[in-house]
Amino acid sequence: MTDNRIDAAEPEIRPAREGPLSRISLVWLVPVIALAISLGVAWQSYSDRGVLIEIAFEDASGVEPGKTELRFRDGAGGMLGGVAFSEVLSHVLVRVRVRNVVAPFIDADAQFWVVRPQVSVRGISGLNTVLSGVYIQGSWDAAPGAAQAGFEGLAAAPLVRPGSRGLSVVLRSRTGNQLASGAPILYKGIRVGLIEAPRLTASGNAVITNGFIEAPYDALVTTATRFWDTSGFELSLGTGGVKLDVDSLASLVEGGVTFETFVSGGAPVQSGVNFPIYRSEAEARDSLFQDAEGSLLMLAAEFDGSIGGLVAGSDVRFRGIKIGEVSDLSMRAVETRGKKEVRLRAVLALRPGSLGLGQEATKEQALRLLQDYVAQGLRARLTSANIL
């Protein structure tokens, strides 16, 4: 009997081929992962350290590297990294690391100053720095701009900060006695702005100061607006009796100016406009007649008797309301019924807008109105006011 079975071939057993990763022990992964984490932390720390800027101050007393903060709207915006001197030792260079979140907004318009405790007639400022130490205050607008690394620090807080809305004015005065840095600009007793420290003009014959009127009060200023001094008090003795005028205790101590638009019709003004500072409200009102000399109606009134007490600048009133003033006094010889006599003549400067015709009234309209009144019996007469 034949055996038809076929013997199965013996399987060939070969060792498994080892890959390149099989020779790496898991123990080596621990330092690799630790190195990667360290590099990530280092990169994160490097990228979060912020942008370095340099600020030049004339005086940097109180600032300390690693302690003095850069603040913006009472929030931390950076940290002082170092202090050095300029090449000619004229300034102190303060290097500040600015946070990345605010760095894009610090452009050429940014302003910096050191906040310290200060005592003035306006009160005590920077009192919180007594415990926390001085800090650098920054101010910039909310629009990103071209990056800048170097800045000129301010000696004090600026009058107008970037992004502020309002009107910048230049105020002129003969002296700077009534002007002080930070003094208020008032409107009807309400503070609507501030002025900077006064300075002499190039010729030295006047004092000017920059002022800033905040929005929306800047719309109250026109070409017909007048500014006058409110420092101290005003004591006047006249036909209305004794008058004592004190605007406010703050203006009595630190000075200041106030403004008013006495007549309508003024045109809007742009930032940088110049205004004189008058000594009193009365002088500011009288300036309306002087400034509008070309639009004044000039009339002559003659008197038979004495006009003692009447002087140039005396009021001209109609129904108790001032409509002008006496601009000149003279005498004129006339012949009446064959006899020579001297009459006294007063030249009256009248403002047409004060006669109830509106501020746009012309001299011709005012003259026709007065002619109608004269036809009805209107005459000029002298009156003596009792100062009591």
Side-chain angles (χ1 to χ4, degrees), residues 43-369:
W43 173 255
Q44 185 69 27
S45 176
Y46 178 81
S47 60
D48 290 344
R49 66 175 184 166
V51 178
L52 182 65
I53 64 174
E54 189 175 73
I55 310 171
F57 290 103
E58 292 186 0
D59 179 15
S61 61
V63 299
E64 297 182 31
K67 293 184 179 180
T68 302
E69 289 185 335
L70 169 65
R71 295 187 183 181
F72 175 71
R73 294 184 178 179
D74 290 333
M79 180 63 68
L80 178 63
V83 178
F85 288 102
S86 61
E87 294 182 358
V88 293
L89 304 181
S90 59
H91 290 79
V92 179
L93 304 180
V94 175
R95 297 183 177 91
V96 180
R97 284 287 179 183
V98 181
R99 296 177 60 186
N100 292 329
V101 67
V102 299
F105 301 94
I106 302 180
D107 50 19
D109 295 331
Q111 298 173 326
F112 302 91
W113 64 95
V114 180
V115 179
R116 304 182 182 91
Q118 291 183 347
V119 180
S120 65
V121 294
R122 290 180 290 136
I124 301 176
S125 61
L127 189 60
N128 58 328
T129 61
V130 175
L131 299 178
S132 62
V134 302
Y135 60 90
I136 300 174
Q137 180 70 48
S139 180
W140 49 81
D141 55 30
Q148 183 170 333
F151 298 90
E152 189 74 22
L154 304 177
L159 178 67
V160 183
R161 301 188 182 184
S164 300
R165 295 186 302 109
L167 176 70
S168 297
V169 296
V170 179
L171 304 176
R172 305 188 312 273
S173 177
R174 287 186 289 271
T175 64
N177 296 335
Q178 75 274 26
L179 304 176
S181 177
I185 298 178
L186 305 174
Y187 180 76
K188 297 186 182 300
I190 304 298
R191 190 192 70 83
V192 298
L194 296 172
I195 62 176
E196 287 183 344
R199 62 188 186 278
L200 287 172
T201 59
S203 60
N205 58 1
V207 176
I208 60 175
T209 182
N210 294 330
F212 183 75
I213 301 174
E214 303 167 357
Y217 308 107
D218 57 330
L220 301 171
V221 181
T222 68
T223 54
T225 300
R226 296 295 183 269
F227 290 78
W228 67 91
D229 174 27
T230 60
S231 61
F233 60 90
E234 179 182 359
L235 179 64
S236 59
L237 177 63
T239 58
V242 179
K243 180 181 179 182
L244 177 64
D245 187 11
V246 180
D247 282 276
S248 68
L249 182 60
S251 61
L252 178 65
V253 175
E254 64 177 341
V257 295
T258 187
F259 68 91
E260 181 66 78
T261 304
F262 298 111
V263 296
S264 60
V269 296
Q270 301 294 328
S271 288
V273 63
N274 283 260
F275 288 100
I277 301 178
Y278 296 97
R279 290 178 295 181
S280 63
E281 181 180 355
E283 184 177 333
R285 289 181 179 274
D286 292 341
S287 69
L288 294 173
F289 294 95
Q290 300 171 3
D291 295 344
E293 185 176 353
S295 62
L296 295 177
L297 174 62
M298 310 301 291
L299 298 178
E302 293 187 350
F303 301 90
D304 295 332
S306 172
I307 57 173
L310 187 67
V311 296
S314 297
D315 291 349
V316 178
R317 296 183 176 271
F318 178 63
R319 294 184 177 179
I321 302 299
K322 180 179 177 180
I323 61 172
E325 61 183 26
V326 177
S327 65
D328 189 26
L329 296 173
S330 61
M331 295 186 294
R332 188 173 72 95
V334 297
E335 185 175 348
T336 304
R337 297 177 183 178
K339 294 182 179 180
K340 294 283 188 178
E341 62 179 21
V342 176
R343 292 187 178 180
L344 303 178
R345 170 180 289 186
V347 179
L348 313 180
L350 308 182
R351 185 174 180 83
S354 301
L355 293 171
L357 297 174
Q359 298 302 327
E360 304 298 329
T362 63
K363 292 185 290 185
E364 291 73 17
Q365 292 174 328
L367 182 59
R368 287 196 297 267
L369 175 65

Side-chain angles (χ1 to χ4, degrees), residues 14-19:
R14 298 178 181 178
R17 183 175 296 177
E18 296 182 355

Side-chain angles (χ1 to χ4, degrees), residues 1-5:
M1 186 173 185
T2 304
D3 189 0
N4 295 329
R5 291 182 303 172

